[in-house]
Amino acid sequence: MLKDSSLRGYLLEESLAWLLRSSGYRLLVHEDQDPVELVSDGDTLRVKGRGAVHQVDVLGEFAFTPAFSMPVRLFLEAKYYQSRCGLEVVRNAHGVVHDVNENFMTGTATRPRQRYKYSYALFSASGFTADAQRYALAHQISLVDLSGASFAWLLGHIGTTAQSLYKAQQYLPGTSSFPVNWMRTELRRRLQTSPLHLLPQPAAPEGKFVQMAATALAEFADALRGRSGVELLLGFPSAPFILPLATDDHERFLEYAEARPDHAVRIRRRGMGSAAEWTLAPADAVGAYELAFKLPEHIEEWISDVEGKERRRTAEVKEQFLSTITLYRMNGAGVRAYQLRYEASSFSQAGAVVTP
């Protein structure tokens, strides 16, 4: 039987694909979308590397190409472990993305083709070990910690659905394995994260299993759509990591940001150590919106490392790493960019270090 933790991981990956859709990414699911770089192997999508062809569960293409760069594609991998995600997972991610980015040949007899910049983001429901964080920082693998309170609603729905799917397995024929590809396709169809004509059509299971599983997936999709006022936005700070920015009402953020795509924000840190969460809000409009995020744990450890220096170091992190946070969002006209600029309080500017 498929483990409960594996089911949670699959559900988390598909949930993140749904949440990131409005952040400027489109899902790549079939080699027809790029016959040169992608390979469809049955129901599995693979990406060509220099030394191997690599399986990918979720691959997104960013609709906006940064200046002096190449189009960006993102490997998305989610881990729903009971313990922190370790070094071996991050090391594998580095090997994959390094091999894929080197798959480009030049020469007089080589046909010119489009080249992409592949990135890798690991999302973990339980955080990452210290050595995994250090390795990821050195090799530019983005680690996203979803263990904070802002994502409790998502992890709760995933846990409930995984339990229902796990129980449904008992009704599969004795020699049958869990139909993972069917589950993924069913969720993508319900969440509309992929073009329907490109979705694989795996054989649908039969009997009581499919009744129970289809019901559980339908309820899960309905729960996500019921949170349509919630959106995960990716923030790109002036730092070697990305920020998942959660909001309870993204319409309020969009209403403000559309009118002021470049505006000043205040940033607060709440809590201590690895449990700390950060929020940002407009500097000149209290209550207009609020975005929540967590910083990598090794930064939190540095902030709290020396007694009496926490406020000073909090201010330094804001000024050095969070001075500018850029967000991209897909809309009907293309990709819209928003820039959030950290503005310290007058007390902080005067030399009295506070947490504004």
Side-chain angles (χ1 to χ4, degrees):
M1 296 178 71
L2 195 63
K3 293 181 179 180
D4 179 78
S5 59
S6 298
L7 287 167
R8 290 170 187 251
Y10 291 133
L11 292 171
L12 181 56
E13 284 177 346
E14 296 303 326
S15 302
L16 291 171
W18 174 75
L19 286 167
L20 298 179
R21 178 180 53 188
S22 295
S23 293
Y25 285 89
R26 69 183 182 100
L27 207 60
L28 300 175
V29 299
H30 196 274
E31 65 180 15
D32 286 352
Q33 292 168 288
D34 183 356
V36 176
E37 296 269 326
L38 307 179
V39 177
S40 292
D41 184 5
D43 297 324
T44 302
L45 183 68
R46 301 181 186 275
V47 183
K48 296 177 183 177
R50 184 177 182 181
V53 180
H54 303 276
Q55 180 177 335
V56 56
D57 294 318
V58 177
L59 181 66
E61 182 171 300
F62 193 38
F64 177 82
T65 301
F68 306 105
S69 183
M70 296 173 289
V72 175
R73 286 180 174 175
L74 176 71
F75 282 83
L76 188 154
E77 185 176 359
K79 298 298 183 184
Y80 204 128
Y81 296 158
Q82 294 298 317
S83 57
R84 295 180 180 182
C85 194
L87 174 62
E88 66 282 354
V89 177
V90 184
R91 185 183 286 131
N92 178 71
H94 171 254
V96 170
V97 77
H98 185 73
D99 188 51
V100 169
N101 277 324
E102 286 200 349
N103 183 30
F104 193 82
M105 304 297 291
T106 60
T108 56
T110 302
R111 178 181 178 181
R113 62 183 177 89
Q114 177 66 66
R115 188 176 185 183
Y116 297 90
K117 168 62 177 176
Y118 285 89
S119 300
Y120 213 110
L122 279 165
F123 292 74
S124 172
S126 53
F128 301 88
T129 61
D131 54 353
Q133 294 180 56
R134 288 192 292 268
Y135 190 89
L137 181 64
H139 295 284
Q140 297 183 337
I141 303 296
S142 295
L143 303 184
V144 184
D145 187 349
L146 300 175
S147 63
S150 300
F151 300 98
W153 67 272
L154 175 61
L155 301 185
H157 284 306
I158 288 172
T160 300
T161 305
Q163 290 177 9
S164 297
L165 293 172
Y166 185 80
K167 293 177 181 178
Q169 289 185 102
Q170 63 184 302
Y171 298 103
L172 284 168
T175 58
S176 298
S177 58
F178 190 94
V180 173
N181 291 324
W182 170 82
M183 179 186 72
R184 285 185 177 277
T185 300
E186 185 71 8
L187 268 179
R188 292 180 181 184
R189 182 179 64 81
R190 292 182 179 275
L191 295 173
Q192 299 181 337
T193 50
S194 300
L196 294 180
H197 70 284
L198 291 177
L199 283 175
Q201 301 298 323
E206 299 178 353
K208 190 169 182 178
F209 167 80
V210 74
Q211 297 173 8
M212 295 179 63
T215 298
L217 294 175
E219 291 175 351
F220 182 60
D222 287 343
L224 294 185
R225 285 195 299 267
R227 301 280 302 209
S228 58
V230 179
E231 184 173 350
L232 176 63
L233 299 168
L234 282 185
F236 297 89
S238 49
F241 51 80
I242 60 175
L243 299 174
L245 302 167
T247 173
D248 285 337
D249 189 343
H250 75 273
E251 294 296 340
R252 290 169 60 189
F253 166 74
L254 291 176
E255 181 181 358
Y256 187 93
E258 283 295 329
R260 307 167 186 81
D262 185 332
H263 62 269
V265 297
R266 298 287 175 84
I267 300 176
R268 295 179 182 273
R269 178 175 179 262
R270 298 166 179 167
M272 302 288 289
S274 61
E277 280 206 307
W278 299 65
T279 59
L280 61 84
D284 60 353
V286 177
Y289 72 80
E290 184 176 86
L291 302 179
F293 61 94
K294 287 176 68 71
L295 286 185
E297 190 173 339
H298 65 278
I299 294 180
E300 295 290 356
E301 290 176 351
W302 177 80
I303 291 175
S304 304
D305 183 50
V306 179
E307 185 176 357
K309 292 188 177 181
E310 188 164 3
R311 289 191 174 186
R312 167 63 66 183
R313 290 185 172 185
T314 297
E316 289 179 12
V317 167
K318 294 177 184 179
E319 294 166 359
Q320 295 178 19
F321 293 149
L322 307 177
S323 58
T324 303
I325 301 174
T326 304
L327 290 79
Y328 302 96
R329 187 177 185 277
M330 185 78 75
N331 58 29
V335 179
R336 180 75 160 154
Y338 310 103
Q339 195 162 75
L340 314 182
R341 293 177 290 97
Y342 167 63
E343 182 178 274
S345 69
S346 57
F347 295 103
S348 190
Q349 294 170 341
V353 179
V354 298
T355 304

